[in-house]
Amino acid sequence: MAILSPSILSADYMHFHEDMDRTKADGAKWLHVDIMDGQFVPNLSFGYAWVKSMRKITDLVLDVHLMIDRPIRYVEEFCKAGSDYLTIHVESDTPENTLAAIEKIRSLGVKPGIVVKPNTPAEAIEPYLPLVDLVLVMTVEPGFGGQKFMEHMMPKLKQLRTMLVNPNCHLEVDGGVDLTTAEICKANGANVLVAGSAFYGAADRAAFVRQIEA
Ligand code: DX5
Ligand code: ZN
């Protein structure tokens, strides 16, 4: 069964708490939180204080996607803030620091994830596959919601499904996912689907959750 991870980046920030509660009422079990630093990606979003406040008011699975330069500097704060999954970009630091960040996340009782940008091949994350609980394949360039789905990422997704060594590891996609593209991703091996603009813009969000998770 697939899991929907609604991206709160597309929520209404003046009604954030309400949107979180409504997301749960609509049947979602996960919440995707995009953290951007204006360096690794040309956009800014939330910090760890935000995750901490979210943790206080929800028991949804917090699926935190770090789009920040040298994430090792902040993984401890994001773990302590209450992330359930904490995912770092393979492109954001040296292999030594990436490994150290994954180990740090694990040691703090949080599930580590690794993510690849569209131009990064699957092989780049091969060394980390035995160590993570989530692999994320970007289907847009990270930084902004509302971009067009890159269908040419599907061979990489399919390849990663065959490369996973941990049987409990999730394979997630992020970017341009709607009810149509979600089916393409599922057919190519994804089991967690992030959706921001399509989910928060849907007329019937509960039906959206049901269709993705069917
Ligand atoms: C993009 C973010 C996504 C974004 C997805 O950098 O990682 O999580 O919120 O938004 P949509 O679903 O609108 O493409
Ligand atoms: Zn994301």
Side-chain angles (χ1 to χ4, degrees):
M1 196 185 106
I3 300 167
L4 174 69
S5 192
S7 176
I8 201 78
L9 189 69
S10 292
D12 178 347
Y13 297 166
M14 290 301 115
H15 298 93
F16 202 81
H17 190 161
E18 201 178 306
D19 259 352
M20 282 177 64
D21 288 348
R22 204 178 135 194
T23 301
K24 182 172 172 164
D26 285 332
K29 291 160 208 73
W30 286 35
L31 207 50
H32 185 82
V33 191
D34 287 307
I35 310 294
M36 306 183 184
D37 68 349
Q39 294 287 329
F40 184 71
V41 289
N43 195 6
L44 293 163
S45 59
F46 319 112
Y48 49 80
W50 203 279
V51 175
K52 195 174 176 185
S53 294
M54 291 173 74
R55 179 76 295 160
K56 284 186 192 149
I57 59 160
T58 190
D59 58 2
L60 288 171
V61 172
L62 294 180
D63 165 30
V64 179
H65 174 193
L66 294 187
M67 284 163 275
I68 65 178
D69 203 26
R70 290 173 292 137
I72 191 153
R73 299 174 295 153
Y74 292 106
V75 291
E76 187 166 354
E77 297 293 356
F78 280 99
C79 288
K80 287 183 178 162
S83 307
D84 290 294
Y85 287 84
L86 188 59
T87 301
I88 59 172
H89 270 269
V90 71
E91 307 88 357
S92 60
D93 209 335
T94 62
E96 294 73 24
N97 282 348
T98 299
L99 185 62
I102 290 171
E103 285 171 350
K104 182 91 188 161
I105 295 167
R106 177 76 70 197
S107 75
L108 291 164
V110 175
K111 297 184 178 77
I114 190 86
V115 43
V116 277
K117 295 209 285 183
N119 289 330
T120 304
E123 288 75 17
I125 58 168
E126 197 166 11
Y128 311 107
L129 295 180
L131 309 172
V132 294
D133 292 314
L134 185 146
V135 167
L136 170 54
V137 174
M138 291 307 300
T139 41
V140 296
E141 280 300 334
F144 299 92
Q147 303 182 76
K148 193 178 176 316
F149 178 74
M150 295 175 162
E151 192 164 348
H152 60 287
M153 293 300 120
M154 294 303 101
K156 179 160 76 179
L157 184 63
K158 209 170 177 170
Q159 182 188 353
L160 276 162
R161 173 51 76 191
T162 68
M163 288 167 68
L164 294 185
V165 280
N166 167 2
N168 300 318
C169 186
H170 293 294
L171 186 54
E172 182 177 57
V173 284
D174 183 9
V177 174
D178 58 23
L179 292 175
T180 306
T181 57
E183 292 310 315
I184 302 170
C185 294
K186 285 195 250 178
N188 284 281
N191 77 303
V192 181
L193 300 110
V194 176
S197 47
F199 175 75
Y200 285 98
D204 186 344
R205 296 183 195 167
F208 192 101
V209 179
R210 283 196 303 274
Q211 283 188 58
I212 293 276
E213 299 195 346

